[in-house]
Amino acid sequence: MNGTLELKKIMLSVFLFLIAVSISAQGRKVSGTVKDADGSGLPGVTVVEKGTTNGVSTDLDGAFTLTLTGAHPVLVFSSIGYVTIEKSVTPSQTNLQIKMSEDVTVLDDVVVVGYGTVKRSTLTNAVSSVNSDQFVQGAVTSPLQLLQGKVAGLAINTTSGDPNDSGVQLMLRGVSTLTGNQQPLVVIDGVPGTLNNISVDDIETIDVLKDGSAAAIYGTRGTNGVILITTKKGSTGKATLSYHGYLSLEQISNEIDVLSPDEFRRLPELTDGLVSVINDGGANTVWKDKVFRDAWSHTHHISLQGGDAQTNYYASVNYRKREGIMKNTDQERTTFKIGLDRSFFDGKLSVGGDINYVIVKGSAVDQGAVYFATLTGNPTNPVYDANTGKYSTFYEVENPVRLINEYQKDLKWNEFTSTGKIVYRPIEELSLTALGSLRTYNNNNGTFATRNYDDIHDGQVWREAMYNESKTLELYGQYSKAIKQHDFSILGGYSYNDFEEQNFNLYNYNYPTDALGYAKPGLGMALKEGLASMDGHKFMNKLISFFGRVNYNYDEKYLFSGSLRYEGSSKFGKNHQWGLFYAASGAWRISQEKFMRNVKFVNELKLKVGYGVTGIEPTNPYQSHLRYAFGDPVLINGQWVRTVAPTENANPDLKWEEKHELNIGLDFALFKNCLSGSIDYYRRETRDLLYTYNMPVPPNLASTTLANVGTVENSGVEAVLSGLVVNNRDWKLNLTANFSYNTNKLKKLSNEKYQRDFLELGSTGAPVQKSTHLVKEGGAIGNFYGWKSIGMTESGEWVIEGGEYGDNSSRTVLGNGIPTMRAGFTAALSYKNFDLTVSLRGAFDYQILNQYRMLYETFEKGTQFNYPKTLLDKVYGQYARKSPAYVSYYIENGDYVKIDNVTLGYNFKLKSSVIQNLRVYLSGLNLYTFTGYKGVDPEVNFNGLTPGMDSYTGYPTTRTFSLGVKIGF
């Protein structure tokens, strides 16, 4: 009895002790500091009590204080780039000193692929990843510019400085089509879309699926590659408020030197009497000073994020006001983003949603006419007539000031995207996902040219409105399982996409007043006279897919991935509406083999091979049908009747273009991951290329048919090398370089039914009026085709190799407008709180047709025009004085190296409980170009079948300087 009583006393004492410990633990505060391997405090580390939503983030010095809630608390310390630590807190501990080490498996980070993620170590495809720390810094105008020079094989050109058009072009691994879109598919948080309503500050990572085996999961839209953008989400811990703002100055990147007023008047002297009479207007006008300006812009981005173990949120607003370097051009853009994610039932059910909305207002001019008039305007002509006070008018040349001041073009558009996602995990190995998205785009543009704009029309009005909408629904499930050394996952799903677009436009002129602008387009008398024009269109199409993928790896050494996508499109003929696209890839991690264990300097060595088939659908719908077009009305029996006639024959066999691609690559990491890189070889062949072919009438109703005939091949090599050269307490230097080489060849253009010997495309413009490019079987796409000049006679006639100018049989290939080689280099240096990033990029082995020089580098036009100073350079010992001609002399080498981005920053360490981080920086974009090209910028159009044309009617590119600040609260 006594023994039993004693036992009860002991149990009661233990119970009371545990209660006391529990009570003391709950509400107990623990503090500490989190440091890196060098002993420096780590800011922004998330500290969470395991199994709860109780958490904080460390301050700038790595310090934290947290009130505990559990009886046996375990703290979880996590930060991107560092190994997560779990630390049990005993009752006696009130101060913790935590040391976090960098994640040496940085090469094993998570890579976003289609419908999921994989570890980089188990990746079997050619995929490039760029995170926000590696983005191009400064005042980028498009999210795509963040990748310039960063991804081997991905060519990104900025061809314009227009604030209303970023002028950004993309091409991945060469030309893949004759008529279709060459732009990669952009997928934002799992939904195909556009970059219109995404702020660059909201982007977390960008992954580029380059080869066919990676992109095949996206079927018809993956041929040109896939760019996967992951935006920022909420994070566990207390709410954080961030601000990023910068002020930018833009200037024309490079001015074309034209004759000054003094040089123009001295032309008789400078040309040894070749020019004897000058059209002297009596003024001294530097037209570029009347047209261009130093343009100021400012951008502000505010974001709020936070959450707990069940709920997190992210919200941001971005405002940008950008002036254009051409007067009366500007843009004002406001972007909103809201994202919310919530988990239920111990994480078995997750629900999330995002809303993105952008509102844009812009002003523009007729930039082509303005820039042309700026280059060619006589520098001795006055802006205004001294007698009348009105704009001066000139023979065959417009007054650029008049074109700017008397022309109003207002651009207004908005885009809205909403996305919802539900993920259910009934068991740990299985996830079921439903994703839906709606995107709408509206624009309403109005343009008014006053009655003073020209001497022909008494005021002109253009109106345009467009609406397009896309709906997406995707349902898919994934089962993943690891059994000992076997690790596999199976994905299967369904995708539905619905597209619609409507457009309306009108043009009218001869208005009684300028007071109403474009507000009352019906007042123009041209409408009453039957001279106004109105047009519009509406089209719809659907894309439905079933897809699946299997991933398998054995012992982290032998890896395999295979995918299928069965896709149907309403754009195709009834006989081929569905297509099957497939891929298979495998990899061998050599570094995991036993015979590599003693090779200590090799951390990763992986050989990978992939083969994939993707498709391309036509840009426009209804092309498989017999199509009609309305013509001018005719008078029949006293009534006007609108005519209609067939324009293109039906083709029920219209089908997908198919790209077949082989990729062989090697990934490596050496010396404790301090040196890493990859090299890939690819060969891609696009078959059944769509093009329009001439057909006899009769028996056909129309003279043309769109058919699948051609084949084009691209092959090349890509290499990336990155090295952490210096890494100690104060200094860190990381160098990264990439290189790509690509060539293309048109292997087939005709078959038994549809014949095309060659295509002559492009135009030099008046008065030369010649085609510029030749596309022919056995040749490369992008070839310039014309007359090779080898001299000039004393009378100014061109001497042509193998014949004479104008004789078509004397033409030959003069170069190619697509670079075969591209390279990028980035040096990232940091010293204590300072950091410096320098990025270079270049393109090589290609040519540019300098249209301005070709048309205006001749004295034949007289002195009512101005001219480039290169006119004074003798051509083969003679002055050019005959009619402009399309000859090789005006096709220049475009090779260049650009100092693309230089950013110098300083990170303050503040003793503040309010401001968590503060950074200021100076940045420059497109700072200097090393090139022999004589135009504004060698970075010209490379898309389509006529690449390498440098038009004199474009908007010049810019050089940008920015001063910015980033603050975290």
Side-chain angles (χ1 to χ4, degrees), residues 21-32 47-56 64-77 87-96:
V21 169
S22 176
I23 293 174
S24 65
Q26 297 177 23
R28 179 164 58 90
K29 287 187 178 182
V30 62
S31 301
V47 185
V48 177
E49 188 175 354
K50 189 174 182 178
T52 73
T53 61
N54 182 33
V56 295
F64 71 94
T65 299
L66 180 64
T67 300
L68 303 176
T69 61
H72 304 285
V74 176
L75 297 186
V76 180
F77 299 83
K87 175 71 173 177
S88 298
V89 184
T90 64
S92 62
Q93 289 180 308
T94 58
N95 187 278
L96 301 178

mmCIF file of all heavy atoms in Angstrom, residues 21-32 47-56 64-77 87-96:
data_model
loop_
_atom_site.group_PDB
_atom_site.id
_atom_site.type_symbol
_atom_site.label_atom_id
_atom_site.label_comp_id
_atom_site.label_asym_id
_atom_site.label_seq_id
_atom_site.Cartn_x
_atom_site.Cartn_y
_atom_site.Cartn_z
ATOM 1 N N VAL A 21 7.152 22.890 -16.876
ATOM 2 C CA VAL A 21 8.049 23.078 -18.015
ATOM 3 C C VAL A 21 7.287 23.577 -19.223
ATOM 4 O O VAL A 21 7.709 24.483 -19.947
ATOM 5 C CB VAL A 21 8.790 21.753 -18.343
ATOM 6 C CG1 VAL A 21 9.518 21.872 -19.670
ATOM 7 C CG2 VAL A 21 9.748 21.410 -17.232
ATOM 8 N N SER A 22 6.100 22.962 -19.457
ATOM 9 C CA SER A 22 5.292 23.361 -20.601
ATOM 10 C C SER A 22 4.872 24.807 -20.487
ATOM 11 O O SER A 22 4.929 25.582 -21.447
ATOM 12 C CB SER A 22 4.067 22.442 -20.704
ATOM 13 O OG SER A 22 3.225 22.851 -21.750
ATOM 14 N N ILE A 23 4.423 25.186 -19.272
ATOM 15 C CA ILE A 23 3.980 26.569 -19.076
ATOM 16 C C ILE A 23 5.132 27.535 -19.267
ATOM 17 O O ILE A 23 5.010 28.598 -19.867
ATOM 18 C CB ILE A 23 3.354 26.732 -17.675
ATOM 19 C CG1 ILE A 23 2.042 25.937 -17.598
ATOM 20 C CG2 ILE A 23 3.133 28.194 -17.348
ATOM 21 C CD1 ILE A 23 1.420 25.908 -16.208
ATOM 22 N N SER A 24 6.313 27.114 -18.748
ATOM 23 C CA SER A 24 7.467 28.011 -18.876
ATOM 24 C C SER A 24 7.936 28.114 -20.312
ATOM 25 O O SER A 24 8.455 29.152 -20.730
ATOM 26 C CB SER A 24 8.608 27.512 -17.977
ATOM 27 O OG SER A 24 9.070 26.246 -18.430
ATOM 28 N N ALA A 25 7.782 26.991 -21.065
ATOM 29 C CA ALA A 25 8.211 27.026 -22.463
ATOM 30 C C ALA A 25 7.301 27.914 -23.282
ATOM 31 O O ALA A 25 7.739 28.654 -24.154
ATOM 32 C CB ALA A 25 8.245 25.605 -23.035
ATOM 33 N N GLN A 26 5.993 27.778 -23.004
ATOM 34 C CA GLN A 26 5.046 28.586 -23.756
ATOM 35 C C GLN A 26 5.158 30.033 -23.312
ATOM 36 O O GLN A 26 5.033 30.346 -22.139
ATOM 37 C CB GLN A 26 3.634 28.066 -23.567
ATOM 38 C CG GLN A 26 3.460 26.638 -24.111
ATOM 39 C CD GLN A 26 2.069 26.117 -23.858
ATOM 40 O OE1 GLN A 26 1.143 26.886 -23.686
ATOM 41 N NE2 GLN A 26 1.935 24.807 -23.804
ATOM 42 N N GLY A 27 5.390 30.902 -24.231
ATOM 43 C CA GLY A 27 5.562 32.316 -23.931
ATOM 44 C C GLY A 27 6.991 32.693 -23.657
ATOM 45 O O GLY A 27 7.300 33.866 -23.451
ATOM 46 N N ARG A 28 7.882 31.701 -23.628
ATOM 47 C CA ARG A 28 9.296 32.003 -23.421
ATOM 48 C C ARG A 28 9.914 32.579 -24.685
ATOM 49 O O ARG A 28 9.651 32.121 -25.785
ATOM 50 C CB ARG A 28 10.030 30.722 -23.013
ATOM 51 C CG ARG A 28 11.518 30.908 -22.798
ATOM 52 C CD ARG A 28 12.086 29.722 -22.043
ATOM 53 N NE ARG A 28 11.857 28.457 -22.717
ATOM 54 C CZ ARG A 28 12.728 27.931 -23.605
ATOM 55 N NH1 ARG A 28 13.828 28.575 -23.902
ATOM 56 N NH2 ARG A 28 12.479 26.763 -24.166
ATOM 57 N N LYS A 29 10.748 33.597 -24.536
ATOM 58 C CA LYS A 29 11.411 34.232 -25.664
ATOM 59 C C LYS A 29 12.799 33.665 -25.869
ATOM 60 O O LYS A 29 13.504 33.377 -24.903
ATOM 61 C CB LYS A 29 11.505 35.746 -25.471
ATOM 62 C CG LYS A 29 10.187 36.480 -25.642
ATOM 63 C CD LYS A 29 10.391 37.986 -25.604
ATOM 64 C CE LYS A 29 9.070 38.704 -25.835
ATOM 65 N NZ LYS A 29 9.254 40.192 -25.854
ATOM 66 N N VAL A 30 13.150 33.503 -27.129
ATOM 67 C CA VAL A 30 14.495 33.071 -27.459
ATOM 68 C C VAL A 30 15.040 34.033 -28.511
ATOM 69 O O VAL A 30 14.320 34.461 -29.419
ATOM 70 C CB VAL A 30 14.514 31.614 -27.973
ATOM 71 C CG1 VAL A 30 13.710 31.464 -29.253
ATOM 72 C CG2 VAL A 30 15.946 31.147 -28.196
ATOM 73 N N SER A 31 16.288 34.413 -28.338
ATOM 74 C CA SER A 31 16.944 35.322 -29.283
ATOM 75 C C SER A 31 18.166 34.637 -29.862
ATOM 76 O O SER A 31 18.552 33.539 -29.426
ATOM 77 C CB SER A 31 17.348 36.629 -28.589
ATOM 78 O OG SER A 31 16.230 37.273 -28.038
ATOM 79 N N GLY A 32 18.772 35.291 -30.827
ATOM 80 C CA GLY A 32 19.967 34.716 -31.412
ATOM 81 C C GLY A 32 20.427 35.456 -32.638
ATOM 82 O O GLY A 32 19.855 36.483 -33.035
ATOM 83 N N VAL A 47 12.925 32.236 -39.749
ATOM 84 C CA VAL A 47 13.013 31.438 -38.520
ATOM 85 C C VAL A 47 11.588 31.081 -38.112
ATOM 86 O O VAL A 47 10.801 31.961 -37.757
ATOM 87 C CB VAL A 47 13.728 32.204 -37.392
ATOM 88 C CG1 VAL A 47 13.899 31.304 -36.168
ATOM 89 C CG2 VAL A 47 15.067 32.747 -37.872
ATOM 90 N N VAL A 48 11.234 29.792 -38.167
ATOM 91 C CA VAL A 48 9.869 29.357 -37.891
ATOM 92 C C VAL A 48 9.888 28.241 -36.858
ATOM 93 O O VAL A 48 10.722 27.328 -36.929
ATOM 94 C CB VAL A 48 9.179 28.862 -39.188
ATOM 95 C CG1 VAL A 48 7.777 28.342 -38.874
ATOM 96 C CG2 VAL A 48 9.115 29.963 -40.219
ATOM 97 N N GLU A 49 8.965 28.326 -35.924
ATOM 98 C CA GLU A 49 8.781 27.238 -34.971
ATOM 99 C C GLU A 49 8.083 26.091 -35.702
ATOM 100 O O GLU A 49 6.971 26.253 -36.214
ATOM 101 C CB GLU A 49 7.957 27.703 -33.772
ATOM 102 C CG GLU A 49 7.892 26.673 -32.666
ATOM 103 C CD GLU A 49 7.172 27.214 -31.440
ATOM 104 O OE1 GLU A 49 6.835 28.418 -31.405
ATOM 105 O OE2 GLU A 49 6.954 26.421 -30.498
ATOM 106 N N LYS A 50 8.740 24.954 -35.754
ATOM 107 C CA LYS A 50 8.273 23.835 -36.569
ATOM 108 C C LYS A 50 6.871 23.395 -36.162
ATOM 109 O O LYS A 50 6.555 23.287 -34.984
ATOM 110 C CB LYS A 50 9.243 22.661 -36.441
ATOM 111 C CG LYS A 50 8.979 21.524 -37.419
ATOM 112 C CD LYS A 50 10.062 20.454 -37.340
ATOM 113 C CE LYS A 50 9.820 19.353 -38.357
ATOM 114 N NZ LYS A 50 10.899 18.321 -38.309
ATOM 115 N N GLY A 51 6.030 23.176 -37.219
ATOM 116 C CA GLY A 51 4.674 22.717 -36.978
ATOM 117 C C GLY A 51 3.691 23.810 -36.643
ATOM 118 O O GLY A 51 2.526 23.548 -36.332
ATOM 119 N N THR A 52 4.159 25.087 -36.686
ATOM 120 C CA THR A 52 3.287 26.224 -36.378
ATOM 121 C C THR A 52 3.449 27.278 -37.455
ATOM 122 O O THR A 52 4.256 27.146 -38.370
ATOM 123 C CB THR A 52 3.646 26.849 -35.019
ATOM 124 O OG1 THR A 52 4.892 27.576 -35.139
ATOM 125 C CG2 THR A 52 3.800 25.790 -33.938
ATOM 126 N N THR A 53 2.675 28.334 -37.314
ATOM 127 C CA THR A 53 2.807 29.492 -38.207
ATOM 128 C C THR A 53 3.603 30.602 -37.539
ATOM 129 O O THR A 53 3.652 31.725 -38.042
ATOM 130 C CB THR A 53 1.413 30.023 -38.602
ATOM 131 O OG1 THR A 53 0.718 30.430 -37.421
ATOM 132 C CG2 THR A 53 0.607 28.948 -39.316
ATOM 133 N N ASN A 54 4.183 30.306 -36.391
ATOM 134 C CA ASN A 54 4.920 31.278 -35.596
ATOM 135 C C ASN A 54 6.322 31.450 -36.188
ATOM 136 O O ASN A 54 7.114 30.501 -36.210
ATOM 137 C CB ASN A 54 5.001 30.806 -34.138
ATOM 138 C CG ASN A 54 5.726 31.806 -33.255
ATOM 139 O OD1 ASN A 54 5.649 33.010 -33.482
ATOM 140 N ND2 ASN A 54 6.417 31.301 -32.239
ATOM 141 N N GLY A 55 6.633 32.644 -36.685
ATOM 142 C CA GLY A 55 7.941 32.833 -37.292
ATOM 143 C C GLY A 55 8.315 34.290 -37.452
ATOM 144 O O GLY A 55 7.477 35.191 -37.350
ATOM 145 N N VAL A 56 9.607 34.539 -37.671
ATOM 146 C CA VAL A 56 10.138 35.886 -37.905
ATOM 147 C C VAL A 56 11.233 35.773 -38.955
ATOM 148 O O VAL A 56 11.606 34.673 -39.381
ATOM 149 C CB VAL A 56 10.718 36.514 -36.612
ATOM 150 C CG1 VAL A 56 9.635 36.742 -35.578
ATOM 151 C CG2 VAL A 56 11.851 35.661 -36.067
ATOM 152 N N PHE A 64 17.579 37.879 -34.375
ATOM 153 C CA PHE A 64 16.144 37.607 -34.321
ATOM 154 C C PHE A 64 15.717 37.419 -32.873
ATOM 155 O O PHE A 64 16.522 37.086 -31.997
ATOM 156 C CB PHE A 64 15.793 36.351 -35.131
ATOM 157 C CG PHE A 64 16.279 35.069 -34.495
ATOM 158 C CD1 PHE A 64 15.452 34.318 -33.654
ATOM 159 C CD2 PHE A 64 17.574 34.609 -34.722
ATOM 160 C CE1 PHE A 64 15.904 33.150 -33.060
ATOM 161 C CE2 PHE A 64 18.041 33.438 -34.129
ATOM 162 C CZ PHE A 64 17.200 32.706 -33.284
ATOM 163 N N THR A 65 14.438 37.608 -32.628
ATOM 164 C CA THR A 65 13.811 37.311 -31.340
ATOM 165 C C THR A 65 12.451 36.707 -31.635
ATOM 166 O O THR A 65 11.669 37.255 -32.417
ATOM 167 C CB THR A 65 13.656 38.571 -30.477
ATOM 168 O OG1 THR A 65 14.946 39.120 -30.208
ATOM 169 C CG2 THR A 65 12.968 38.236 -29.163
ATOM 170 N N LEU A 66 12.153 35.576 -30.976
ATOM 171 C CA LEU A 66 10.914 34.858 -31.244
ATOM 172 C C LEU A 66 10.316 34.370 -29.940
ATOM 173 O O LEU A 66 11.028 33.825 -29.084
ATOM 174 C CB LEU A 66 11.183 33.668 -32.172
ATOM 175 C CG LEU A 66 9.984 32.806 -32.569
ATOM 176 C CD1 LEU A 66 8.982 33.614 -33.385
ATOM 177 C CD2 LEU A 66 10.444 31.583 -33.357
ATOM 178 N N THR A 67 9.014 34.561 -29.768
ATOM 179 C CA THR A 67 8.299 34.050 -28.602
ATOM 180 C C THR A 67 7.801 32.648 -28.917
ATOM 181 O O THR A 67 7.021 32.443 -29.862
ATOM 182 C CB THR A 67 7.115 34.961 -28.248
ATOM 183 O OG1 THR A 67 7.600 36.278 -27.955
ATOM 184 C CG2 THR A 67 6.378 34.424 -27.024
ATOM 185 N N LEU A 68 8.238 31.667 -28.136
ATOM 186 C CA LEU A 68 7.910 30.272 -28.407
ATOM 187 C C LEU A 68 6.498 29.949 -27.922
ATOM 188 O O LEU A 68 5.996 30.534 -26.956
ATOM 189 C CB LEU A 68 8.916 29.350 -27.717
ATOM 190 C CG LEU A 68 10.389 29.579 -28.100
ATOM 191 C CD1 LEU A 68 11.294 28.673 -27.283
ATOM 192 C CD2 LEU A 68 10.599 29.335 -29.586
ATOM 193 N N THR A 69 5.867 28.961 -28.602
ATOM 194 C CA THR A 69 4.504 28.583 -28.242
ATOM 195 C C THR A 69 4.377 27.119 -27.836
ATOM 196 O O THR A 69 3.392 26.729 -27.213
ATOM 197 C CB THR A 69 3.554 28.837 -29.432
ATOM 198 O OG1 THR A 69 3.978 28.035 -30.542
ATOM 199 C CG2 THR A 69 3.560 30.306 -29.825
ATOM 200 N N GLY A 70 5.342 26.281 -28.198
ATOM 201 C CA GLY A 70 5.243 24.853 -27.928
ATOM 202 C C GLY A 70 6.034 24.421 -26.721
ATOM 203 O O GLY A 70 6.915 25.125 -26.211
ATOM 204 N N ALA A 71 5.713 23.195 -26.254
ATOM 205 C CA ALA A 71 6.404 22.641 -25.092
ATOM 206 C C ALA A 71 7.791 22.135 -25.448
ATOM 207 O O ALA A 71 8.715 22.192 -24.621
ATOM 208 C CB ALA A 71 5.560 21.513 -24.484
ATOM 209 N N HIS A 72 7.956 21.605 -26.634
ATOM 210 C CA HIS A 72 9.243 21.088 -27.094
ATOM 211 C C HIS A 72 9.573 21.736 -28.439
ATOM 212 O O HIS A 72 9.501 21.087 -29.481
ATOM 213 C CB HIS A 72 9.189 19.561 -27.218
ATOM 214 C CG HIS A 72 8.782 18.879 -25.958
ATOM 215 N ND1 HIS A 72 9.622 18.736 -24.875
ATOM 216 C CD2 HIS A 72 7.592 18.309 -25.605
ATOM 217 C CE1 HIS A 72 8.992 18.092 -23.910
ATOM 218 N NE2 HIS A 72 7.749 17.829 -24.320
ATOM 219 N N PRO A 73 9.898 23.013 -28.424
ATOM 220 C CA PRO A 73 10.045 23.762 -29.681
ATOM 221 C C PRO A 73 11.266 23.329 -30.491
ATOM 222 O O PRO A 73 12.333 23.033 -29.942
ATOM 223 C CB PRO A 73 10.195 25.206 -29.215
ATOM 224 C CG PRO A 73 10.745 25.103 -27.829
ATOM 225 C CD PRO A 73 10.161 23.853 -27.247
ATOM 226 N N VAL A 74 11.044 23.292 -31.801
ATOM 227 C CA VAL A 74 12.123 23.081 -32.761
ATOM 228 C C VAL A 74 12.059 24.234 -33.755
ATOM 229 O O VAL A 74 11.010 24.499 -34.361
ATOM 230 C CB VAL A 74 11.967 21.736 -33.502
ATOM 231 C CG1 VAL A 74 13.056 21.601 -34.565
ATOM 232 C CG2 VAL A 74 12.029 20.580 -32.523
ATOM 233 N N LEU A 75 13.166 24.944 -33.910
ATOM 234 C CA LEU A 75 13.219 26.079 -34.832
ATOM 235 C C LEU A 75 13.822 25.637 -36.162
ATOM 236 O O LEU A 75 14.815 24.900 -36.199
ATOM 237 C CB LEU A 75 14.042 27.216 -34.241
ATOM 238 C CG LEU A 75 13.513 27.847 -32.954
ATOM 239 C CD1 LEU A 75 14.363 29.062 -32.576
ATOM 240 C CD2 LEU A 75 12.055 28.248 -33.102
ATOM 241 N N VAL A 76 13.204 26.120 -37.246
ATOM 242 C CA VAL A 76 13.669 25.820 -38.604
ATOM 243 C C VAL A 76 14.220 27.110 -39.205
ATOM 244 O O VAL A 76 13.516 28.120 -39.296
ATOM 245 C CB VAL A 76 12.532 25.256 -39.476
ATOM 246 C CG1 VAL A 76 13.052 24.948 -40.877
ATOM 247 C CG2 VAL A 76 11.933 24.008 -38.846
ATOM 248 N N PHE A 77 15.497 27.065 -39.596
ATOM 249 C CA PHE A 77 16.162 28.217 -40.205
ATOM 250 C C PHE A 77 16.329 27.933 -41.702
ATOM 251 O O PHE A 77 16.987 26.942 -42.076
ATOM 252 C CB PHE A 77 17.535 28.454 -39.564
ATOM 253 C CG PHE A 77 17.472 28.743 -38.097
ATOM 254 C CD1 PHE A 77 17.383 27.709 -37.161
ATOM 255 C CD2 PHE A 77 17.486 30.046 -37.639
ATOM 256 C CE1 PHE A 77 17.326 27.966 -35.809
ATOM 257 C CE2 PHE A 77 17.434 30.323 -36.282
ATOM 258 C CZ PHE A 77 17.347 29.286 -35.365
ATOM 259 N N LYS A 87 16.760 23.194 -35.275
ATOM 260 C CA LYS A 87 17.440 23.296 -33.991
ATOM 261 C C LYS A 87 16.430 23.157 -32.845
ATOM 262 O O LYS A 87 15.487 23.958 -32.737
ATOM 263 C CB LYS A 87 18.159 24.655 -33.887
ATOM 264 C CG LYS A 87 18.803 24.941 -32.546
ATOM 265 C CD LYS A 87 20.016 24.070 -32.313
ATOM 266 C CE LYS A 87 20.755 24.477 -31.045
ATOM 267 N NZ LYS A 87 21.898 23.596 -30.767
ATOM 268 N N SER A 88 16.620 22.152 -32.025
ATOM 269 C CA SER A 88 15.771 21.999 -30.832
ATOM 270 C C SER A 88 16.195 23.007 -29.768
ATOM 271 O O SER A 88 17.402 23.252 -29.571
ATOM 272 C CB SER A 88 15.886 20.578 -30.264
ATOM 273 O OG SER A 88 15.436 19.626 -31.211
ATOM 274 N N VAL A 89 15.226 23.580 -29.076
ATOM 275 C CA VAL A 89 15.498 24.593 -28.062
ATOM 276 C C VAL A 89 15.179 24.007 -26.687
ATOM 277 O O VAL A 89 14.026 23.657 -26.388
ATOM 278 C CB VAL A 89 14.669 25.862 -28.297
ATOM 279 C CG1 VAL A 89 15.046 26.934 -27.273
ATOM 280 C CG2 VAL A 89 14.892 26.376 -29.715
ATOM 281 N N THR A 90 16.209 23.883 -25.839
ATOM 282 C CA THR A 90 16.018 23.355 -24.486
ATOM 283 C C THR A 90 15.527 24.464 -23.569
ATOM 284 O O THR A 90 15.668 25.666 -23.868
ATOM 285 C CB THR A 90 17.337 22.780 -23.943
ATOM 286 O OG1 THR A 90 18.284 23.843 -23.825
ATOM 287 C CG2 THR A 90 17.888 21.719 -24.890
ATOM 288 N N PRO A 91 14.947 24.124 -22.433
ATOM 289 C CA PRO A 91 14.428 25.155 -21.515
ATOM 290 C C PRO A 91 15.486 26.153 -21.067
ATOM 291 O O PRO A 91 15.171 27.302 -20.747
ATOM 292 C CB PRO A 91 13.890 24.340 -20.339
ATOM 293 C CG PRO A 91 13.546 23.010 -20.929
ATOM 294 C CD PRO A 91 14.606 22.759 -21.974
ATOM 295 N N SER A 92 16.735 25.715 -21.024
ATOM 296 C CA SER A 92 17.779 26.605 -20.510
ATOM 297 C C SER A 92 18.334 27.540 -21.578
ATOM 298 O O SER A 92 19.094 28.461 -21.257
ATOM 299 C CB SER A 92 18.920 25.770 -19.927
ATOM 300 O OG SER A 92 19.511 24.953 -20.939
ATOM 301 N N GLN A 93 17.981 27.313 -22.826
ATOM 302 C CA GLN A 93 18.545 28.119 -23.911
ATOM 303 C C GLN A 93 17.706 29.361 -24.161
ATOM 304 O O GLN A 93 16.492 29.274 -24.387
ATOM 305 C CB GLN A 93 18.645 27.298 -25.196
ATOM 306 C CG GLN A 93 19.718 26.229 -25.172
ATOM 307 C CD GLN A 93 19.762 25.442 -26.479
ATOM 308 O OE1 GLN A 93 18.755 24.930 -26.940
ATOM 309 N NE2 GLN A 93 20.954 25.358 -27.075
ATOM 310 N N THR A 94 18.350 30.491 -24.103
ATOM 311 C CA THR A 94 17.679 31.765 -24.422
ATOM 312 C C THR A 94 18.367 32.515 -25.548
ATOM 313 O O THR A 94 17.806 33.466 -26.090
ATOM 314 C CB THR A 94 17.640 32.671 -23.176
ATOM 315 O OG1 THR A 94 18.990 32.902 -22.732
ATOM 316 C CG2 THR A 94 16.828 32.026 -22.061
ATOM 317 N N ASN A 95 19.588 32.112 -25.880
ATOM 318 C CA ASN A 95 20.332 32.769 -26.955
ATOM 319 C C ASN A 95 20.975 31.698 -27.831
ATOM 320 O O ASN A 95 21.711 30.843 -27.335
ATOM 321 C CB ASN A 95 21.393 33.706 -26.380
ATOM 322 C CG ASN A 95 22.056 34.533 -27.476
ATOM 323 O OD1 ASN A 95 22.974 34.062 -28.145
ATOM 324 N ND2 ASN A 95 21.584 35.770 -27.647
ATOM 325 N N LEU A 96 20.667 31.765 -29.112
ATOM 326 C CA LEU A 96 21.166 30.767 -30.057
ATOM 327 C C LEU A 96 22.128 31.417 -31.046
ATOM 328 O O LEU A 96 21.884 32.539 -31.518
ATOM 329 C CB LEU A 96 20.002 30.139 -30.842
ATOM 330 C CG LEU A 96 18.918 29.436 -30.020
ATOM 331 C CD1 LEU A 96 17.823 28.924 -30.949
ATOM 332 C CD2 LEU A 96 19.522 28.291 -29.214
#
